[in-house]
Amino acid sequence: MTTFTSHQLVLTAIGEDRSGIVSELTELVSECNCNIIDSRIAILGNEFTFTMLLSGDIAAISRVEHTLPVKSMELGLLTMMKRTSSHTENDFSAGYTLEYTGIDTQGTLSRVTRFFAEQNISICSLKSDTFEEDDELRMRCELEFNTPAELDFEQFKIKFEELSSISNVHYVFRRIR
């Protein structure tokens, strides 16, 4: 089975965190003859979140779509599914990570993601959280992104420096591809 001839399904499950959920869900996927080609797990508050990209023939995808609702009820999970197709990469010149930290201030992540949107840059992945340090609530964020071929990266960095100054965050860009 190749991703070129197979169908794809995005599956997201959310529920109270407890051991065994991943095993139950991956077993169901396997029994339906689907392959997990990408996945992410996160614990947010007391909630477990699991997102998977599945591939399989049309019958296998349909089996997951029909079997998962019953299993979700048994496990106390809220699930959502959506059929999709293989991702096609846009033309880009390089890939980077951006890591930034600072005092937790409302709106910082919103300003950063708006800045990226205004530069026509798609964010590939994003992880953010807060932590206490020296009796202050601080934030950290890591974004992965690809720069469009037409982007002047030096100008981009100058504009981001202005934003980081306004937002009072320290940051590092790293080229990853």
Side-chain angles (χ1 to χ4, degrees):
M1 176 182 354
T2 67
T3 57
F4 301 110
T5 59
S6 66
H7 297 265
Q8 294 184 349
L9 181 73
V10 176
L11 184 158
T12 300
I14 303 170
E16 188 175 337
D17 184 32
R18 64 186 180 285
S19 63
I21 298 173
V22 174
S23 175
E24 293 280 346
L25 292 173
T26 56
E27 186 176 320
L28 178 138
V29 167
S30 179
E31 288 173 352
C32 290
N33 295 319
C34 282
N35 187 31
I36 301 169
I37 57 177
D38 197 358
S39 65
R40 306 282 188 278
I41 294 175
I43 305 299
L44 303 171
N46 194 38
E47 301 304 307
F48 162 88
T49 62
F50 190 18
T51 302
M52 296 182 276
L53 177 61
L54 310 178
S55 69
D57 62 30
I58 193 71
I61 295 294
S62 293
R63 274 193 296 280
V64 170
E65 290 173 324
H66 289 94
T67 309
L68 184 65
V70 172
K71 180 59 89 175
S72 297
M73 288 180 61
E74 288 174 13
L75 297 173
L77 298 173
L78 172 64
T79 57
M80 181 174 54
M81 297 173 277
K82 184 176 185 306
R83 289 189 186 203
T84 189
S85 56
S86 295
H87 180 74
T88 53
E89 292 285 336
N90 294 332
D91 187 26
F92 65 91
S93 60
Y96 293 87
T97 60
L98 162 65
E99 295 176 26
Y100 70 83
T101 60
I103 295 172
D104 187 32
T105 307
Q106 185 175 347
T108 303
L109 183 58
S110 176
R111 284 189 298 277
V112 170
T113 56
R114 172 57 44 207
F115 174 79
F116 275 72
E118 290 168 352
Q119 306 301 313
N120 199 30
I121 295 174
S122 293
I123 298 169
C124 305
S125 71
L126 182 149
K127 181 180 182 201
S128 67
D129 63 356
T130 59
F131 61 98
E132 265 194 60
E133 183 177 85
D134 300 327
D135 294 326
E136 286 185 312
L137 190 59
R138 301 185 55 80
M139 64 173 164
R140 64 182 150 223
C141 182
E142 183 175 331
L143 293 95
E144 184 178 316
F145 62 97
N146 293 324
T147 56
E150 65 275 5
L151 180 75
D152 180 343
F153 194 68
E154 292 307 312
Q155 278 301 113
F156 170 80
K157 289 193 310 188
I158 290 169
K159 290 178 184 175
F160 190 82
E161 176 64 34
E162 294 170 11
L163 176 63
S164 72
S165 179
I166 292 167
S167 301
N168 197 27
V169 297
H170 301 284
Y171 69 93
V172 174
F173 284 109
R174 289 188 183 90
R175 185 170 179 157
I176 55 174
R177 60 182 156 271

